[in-house]
Amino acid sequence: MFSLLFRKSPLFRTILYALIIFGALGVVSVVTKQVKKTPVIESISPAVGSAGDTMTITGSNFGKMRNNSYVELSGGRITASGYVEWDDAKIKIIIPSNVQDGLVNVVTSSGKSKPAFFANESGIPIEAPPDTVSSLPMISSVSPASASVGSSVVITGMNFGSVRGNSLVYFTANREGNSSKNSSEELPSIAANEDEFDYESWTDTEIRVRVPDGAASGTVFVKTDKGVSGNKKLDVKFSAGTKNYSSKKTYSIKLNEDVDSIASKNASSITLRVPRPVVSSSQPEVELNESSPEPLVANFNNTLIHQIELQRADKNKGNAENAQKFKFVQNFVVTLYSVKTNIRAKDVKQYDKNKILFKKFTSPDALVSCDDKDVVEFAKKIVGKEKNPYLQAKLVYDYFVQNCTLLMYQREQTSSPKDLLKETKHGKKNAGDAYDFSVMYASVLRALKIPCVPVAGILVNSDMSSKNHWWNEFYIENFGWVPVDVSIALGLEFSAFKELSDTTAADFYFGNIENQHVAFSRGWNEIKQSLVNGKIVYRPKTFAFQSIWEETSEGRVNYSSLWNNPIVTGIY
């Protein structure tokens, strides 16, 4: 039928030829449309780069092979050696050395893609590094140019910081031999002490600070996180006498605590508050050299904090914590100086009663009962009509030395230091241990409105053995702290590095102290309980005065703990 129509009908042949032509044109159109798809760039990486980097171009319609296609970068073609990879959806090229900021195009026989933008990293402006010179603290003046210990000076300048944070003001330290050093030699320095309320105010352009105990004439500088300022001169006056720090000793001191036999039904914790040696004018450097394990907090309220986390006990397996023993070890390096004073009583001034230091260290606390009626009456009786604070302190010292005896053993924890104030008959003397004399001396002086602290720590013998010990310091206006040790004056057994040759112990230990008293507390350290319903442990009559040594979380936690006394492992 088809062949008959094709031979007999011209119209049929015409229509058939037309269909064939239109069909061929359609096929060519479809094929051409597919072949002519232009390349599309979706992303380039990196968009900011440098010569030698590999750039990845992702998209579509690049062609499975490069052939005559190419990438155009900043108006220049990438040469054949610059292509790492080419397929229909991804191209990798090496960015040439002469590349500039510009457009990226993929060009194929089907056309040119819409461009992406590339930036040469070397041409991008970057933020200038901070000007460390202009951010350093700078002192323009210190006023007044001459001041006494405890008096306020104003430091003006810039870049001190809007808040003090960890920043410090340093003064030349009062050290033996400073006067003999050349002007080019660096003198030792001592920082103003936050614990003694030396810092009064701090802004970016002005600091008000009191001259710290242990300072001497020399220079002042400020140290912040940004760096150290230049020096400004300051003359430190001692109108009431002289004070000398000498014979430096460095001690390596080890502490250790054990916790075991733990039984806890609930998830709970045990927190240890380990006392740190305190920083003072005579003990200016304290460094934690080692702690095992690492503490939770290295220094908070002058304590190092360790914490044991206990899991809930397994009813079937028992409490696995029972089998564990927790051992904590700390090693401190402490620098210590001997202190000698020569005070002219007639030049001693009355106190500035507006100072925070005066208010704090003449007030009662958990340790010092200066508001006790018996203590107040005793204090008045001892000093009589004497008004000079230095002479009052000496009268109280002399009374204890002349009318009391020292017990060479430590009294029961329930005993009271007030026993030293009892009336005696027939020449009998009241007796107490070193702790009693330290606490009661501080109580009587505070009752007289003389700032005074009991000091707790260890007394180191020349053979490196040591024992817990307690002594005192009282404060003289415009002079600083004065050391006192009643118990050594009363004959406490103690082997010094250098024996006293030209004075008695009773004369020496009022106003002077050797370099063998390592202090862990200066006054009472009131630590707030961290858990409202937790349980605390207090350790009385030991090498530090603090309200909390151990704390457990709410719930029943049973355990045993052993706190060993500090051990001296080295003297340098």
Side-chain angles (χ1 to χ4, degrees):
M1 184 67 179
F2 177 83
S3 60
L4 180 63
L5 288 173
F6 186 80
R7 290 195 308 268
K8 299 287 186 178
S9 175
L11 180 60
F12 179 81
R13 289 196 297 273
T14 301
I15 292 171
L16 180 61
Y17 291 146
L19 289 174
I20 292 171
I21 292 170
F22 281 117
L25 291 174
V27 171
V28 170
S29 176
V30 171
V31 171
T32 301
K33 187 177 180 180
Q34 289 181 347
V35 171
K36 292 291 184 181
K37 283 185 177 179
T38 56
V40 176
I41 296 177
E42 295 177 357
S43 66
I44 64 171
S45 178
V48 179
S50 303
D53 290 347
T54 299
M55 177 189 289
T56 301
I57 305 169
T58 56
S60 58
N61 304 329
F62 300 152
K64 292 184 178 180
M65 299 182 68
R66 187 172 69 85
N67 295 323
N68 294 322
S69 301
Y70 59 90
V71 173
E72 191 177 77
L73 178 56
S74 301
R77 292 188 184 187
I78 301 298
T79 60
S81 61
Y83 296 96
V84 177
E85 181 181 341
W86 188 297
D87 64 30
D88 193 57
K90 182 168 64 176
I91 301 169
K92 288 186 178 182
I93 63 170
I94 302 297
I95 299 174
S97 59
N98 60 348
V99 70
Q100 300 297 322
D101 296 349
L103 302 178
V104 179
N105 296 98
V106 175
V107 183
T108 70
S109 59
S110 299
K112 179 186 287 189
S113 68
K114 290 184 179 180
F117 183 79
F118 170 80
N120 189 340
E121 189 175 33
S122 62
I124 296 175
I126 60 173
E127 182 181 357
D131 185 352
T132 56
V133 175
S134 63
S135 64
L136 288 175
M138 299 176 64
I139 299 177
S140 57
S141 67
V142 177
S143 179
S146 182
S148 301
V149 168
S151 60
S152 182
V153 296
V154 179
I155 303 171
T156 57
M158 59 189 297
N159 301 327
F160 300 143
S162 57
V163 293
R164 186 171 75 84
N166 295 321
S167 301
L168 296 168
V169 177
Y170 285 86
F171 297 75
T172 294
N174 183 352
R175 298 288 179 258
E176 185 179 46
N178 277 3
S179 59
S180 63
K181 291 187 176 182
N182 297 325
S183 58
S184 60
E185 291 185 83
E186 184 177 352
L187 297 176
S189 59
I190 188 169
N193 193 334
E194 183 178 17
D195 293 337
E196 295 183 4
F197 314 103
D198 288 335
Y199 295 99
E200 294 186 308
S201 65
W202 190 293
T203 70
D204 192 53
T205 57
E206 181 182 280
I207 301 169
R208 291 180 178 269
V209 61
R210 293 188 182 274
V211 179
D213 186 33
S217 296
T219 58
V220 177
F221 65 88
V222 177
K223 183 178 181 181
T224 71
D225 292 338
K226 302 294 184 181
V228 180
S229 73
N231 296 330
K232 287 292 182 180
K233 290 185 177 181
L234 177 69
D235 178 42
V236 177
K237 301 181 295 184
F238 292 88
S239 57
T242 61
K243 191 174 186 180
N244 181 264
Y245 297 81
S246 62
S247 306
K248 175 182 175 180
K249 289 283 184 185
T250 301
Y251 294 88
S252 178
I253 299 174
K254 178 180 179 181
L255 278 66
N256 60 79
E257 309 82 40
D258 299 332
V259 178
D260 60 12
S261 303
I262 301 172
S264 175
K265 293 184 178 180
N266 303 310
S268 55
S269 65
I270 301 172
T271 303
L272 305 184
R273 301 294 293 261
V274 182
R276 293 173 55 101
V278 293
V279 172
S280 67
S281 61
S282 60
Q283 191 170 288
E285 297 174 26
V286 175
E287 179 183 353
L288 176 62
N289 197 36
E290 179 187 0
S291 178
S292 178
E294 285 293 318
L296 180 67
V297 180
N299 191 358
F300 183 72
N301 287 345
N302 207 62
T303 65
L304 180 149
I305 302 176
H306 285 295
Q307 193 166 70
I308 302 170
E309 296 291 344
L310 307 173
Q311 302 301 318
R312 182 186 296 272
D314 190 319
K315 293 181 180 180
N316 298 320
K317 297 181 180 180
N319 190 350
E321 300 291 347
N322 285 320
Q324 296 187 36
K325 181 175 182 178
F326 296 87
K327 187 176 183 64
F328 302 91
V329 179
Q330 305 85 36
N331 283 293
F332 293 97
V333 177
V334 181
T335 300
L336 197 60
Y337 290 85
S338 62
V339 180
K340 290 186 179 181
T341 65
N342 184 8
I343 299 174
R344 298 183 296 272
K346 64 182 181 65
D347 294 323
V348 171
K349 296 182 177 181
Q350 295 299 316
Y351 296 104
D352 178 355
K353 296 183 179 180
N354 292 318
K355 284 185 180 180
I356 300 176
L357 180 147
F358 175 84
K359 294 177 180 179
K360 177 176 175 61
F361 296 119
T362 57
S363 299
D365 56 36
L367 194 66
V368 178
S369 55
C370 58
D371 58 344
D372 183 280
K373 180 181 178 181
D374 294 335
V375 174
V376 173
E377 290 181 356
F378 177 84
K380 291 179 179 178
K381 179 181 177 181
I382 296 302
V383 301
K385 296 182 179 180
E386 182 59 63
K387 301 298 182 182
N388 185 294
Y390 176 77
L391 295 178
Q392 287 180 331
K394 184 66 163 63
L395 286 171
V396 176
Y397 174 83
D398 288 342
Y399 175 87
F400 284 133
V401 172
Q402 296 166 9
N403 297 279
C404 299
T405 59
L406 176 72
L407 299 173
M408 296 301 176
Y409 60 89
Q410 189 169 305
R411 292 208 299 163
E412 296 291 331
Q413 295 178 1
T414 54
S415 62
S416 172
K418 277 184 61 178
D419 293 342
L420 294 172
L421 310 184
K422 291 179 179 179
E423 292 286 343
T424 59
K425 296 180 180 180
H426 309 297
K428 184 180 179 181
K429 295 183 176 182
N430 289 326
D433 57 24
Y435 175 91
D436 296 330
F437 284 107
S438 172
V439 171
M440 195 44 55
Y441 187 79
S443 298
V444 175
L445 261 62
R446 288 193 189 183
L448 295 167
K449 296 303 177 184
I450 300 173
C452 185
V453 292
V455 185
I458 59 173
L459 183 61
V460 183
N461 290 302
S462 57
D463 63 358
M464 282 185 27
S465 64
S466 64
K467 57 188 170 186
N468 292 347
H469 188 55
W470 304 271
W471 62 100
N472 295 92
E473 294 179 23
F474 70 92
Y475 192 82
I476 293 296
E477 191 73 13
N478 294 340
F479 184 84
W481 292 97
V482 180
V484 173
D485 195 323
V486 177
S487 57
I488 293 185
L490 284 168
L492 180 70
E493 295 178 357
F494 161 63
S495 61
F497 293 122
K498 184 178 180 180
E499 297 296 332
L500 299 175
S501 57
D502 55 352
T503 187
T504 64
D507 289 336
F508 180 83
Y509 281 98
F510 181 83
N512 312 295
I513 202 165
E514 25 56 35
N515 53 8
Q516 294 172 246
H517 287 63
V518 180
F520 280 81
S521 295
R522 296 179 69 251
W524 177 249
N525 186 6
E526 182 66 38
I527 298 172
K528 292 184 179 180
Q529 192 170 348
S530 59
L531 300 170
V532 176
N533 296 318
K535 296 180 181 179
I536 65 171
V537 173
Y538 164 61
R539 301 182 68 236
K541 286 194 157 186
T542 186
F543 62 93
F545 300 129
Q546 62 184 47
S547 58
I548 297 177
W549 292 70
E550 303 169 15
E551 184 175 4
T552 59
S553 56
E554 185 178 5
R556 186 173 179 178
V557 182
N558 295 320
Y559 65 96
S560 64
S561 62
L562 173 64
W563 291 73
N564 294 293
N565 290 330
I567 300 171
V568 177
T569 58
I571 303 176
Y572 312 98

